[in-house]
Amino acid sequence: MDLSSAWKDLLKEEIEQDYFKELMTFVQEEYQGNHPIYPAEANIFKAFNRCPLEQTKVVLLGQDPYHGPGQADGLCFSVPHGVTFPPSLRNILIELQEDVGKEIPFTGSLEEWAEQGVLLLNATLTVRGGQAGSHQNKGWERFTDQVIATLSKETSNIVFLLWGGYARKKAKLIDANKHLVLESGHPSPLSANRGHWFGNRHFSQCNAYLSAHNKTPINW
C-alpha cells in the first residue's frame, strides 16, 4: 500500500479493518481487469503522498476522479501538465484570479498546492474509465470520511473547503470550533452559472485564516 508512513500511522486503525482490506482487493482486481482504471495505480494515494501530514493546512474535497483518458492525476480537480482544463477546474482558476489576482496558469496541475499543505482529496479514489461513480459505495467513502474526521479530531486550525452539495454533507464530520469550514456551490458550469460559485472568495478567506493562526498562507 503506497501510503506515506505518517499518514499510515494516523489511519492505522482504519486500514487494518476488514472493509478496507476488501476494498484494496477490489481495487487490485479492477486494475488487473479489462477496463481502464483512473488514476494510474501508482497515484491512488497521491493526495496524501504529495501533502505531508505535518504540513497539512487545507483540505479540499472532491467526489470522483476524472474518468476520461489522461485526466485524473490522483489530486482532486487537478489534471496533468498539458491536459485541457475540465470546466470545473477552469471555473476554480477564474474565481482564483478574481479573488486574489492570480493569473490563470498554463497548467491544470495543482501539485504545487499539494506540496504547500493542501490535501486534494477525492471522496472516492478510483474510477473505471468512462463510468463516473463506478467505484462509489465500495468502501472509499468510509475511508475518506475517516480521514476528515481524524484530521478534525487530531489537529487544529485547518481550512476545509466544501464545494457543492456532496462535499457540504461532510461538514458534520468537522469540529467548526477548531477549524474553518468554507462552503459554497460547486464550480461546475451548472452550479456556477446559477450564481452559486463565483464570488465565494474562499482563497483569500483561507489565507486570512491561516495568517491569523500563524501559518504560512498558500501561494495559490
Side-chain angles (χ1 to χ4, degrees), residues 193-211:
N193 293 339
R194 290 176 174 170
H196 301 313
W197 166 253
F198 292 115
N200 67 27
R201 301 293 185 260
H202 280 186
F203 301 101
S204 56
Q205 289 183 66
C206 173
N207 277 351
Y209 180 86
L210 293 176
S211 294

Side-chain angles (χ1 to χ4, degrees), residues 78-128:
S78 178
V79 292
H81 298 294
V83 174
T84 302
F85 299 172
S88 292
L89 176 58
R90 178 164 293 282
N91 285 339
I92 288 169
L93 298 175
I94 291 170
E95 171 61 23
L96 177 61
Q97 183 179 43
E98 293 178 354
D99 186 9
V100 301
K102 175 94 175 190
E103 288 298 316
I104 293 177
F106 293 108
T107 177
S109 171
L110 303 181
E111 204 154 330
E112 289 187 2
W113 294 8
E115 290 169 353
Q116 295 177 74
V118 182
L119 182 65
L120 295 163
L121 182 66
N122 276 314
T124 302
L125 298 187
T126 54
V127 69
R128 275 191 184 187

Side-chain angles (χ1 to χ4, degrees), residues 162-211:
L162 307 181
W163 297 342
Y166 181 86
R168 294 173 83 165
K169 291 176 183 175
K170 308 297 183 180
K172 65 181 182 291
L173 302 170
I174 304 161
D175 184 348
N177 295 313
K178 295 172 61 184
H179 306 280
L180 177 64
V181 180
L182 295 176
E183 301 182 37
S184 79
H186 197 275
S188 68
L190 183 64
S191 173
N193 293 339
R194 290 176 174 170
H196 301 313
W197 166 253
F198 292 115
N200 67 27
R201 301 293 185 260
H202 280 186
F203 301 101
S204 56
Q205 289 183 66
C206 173
N207 277 351
Y209 180 86
L210 293 176
S211 294

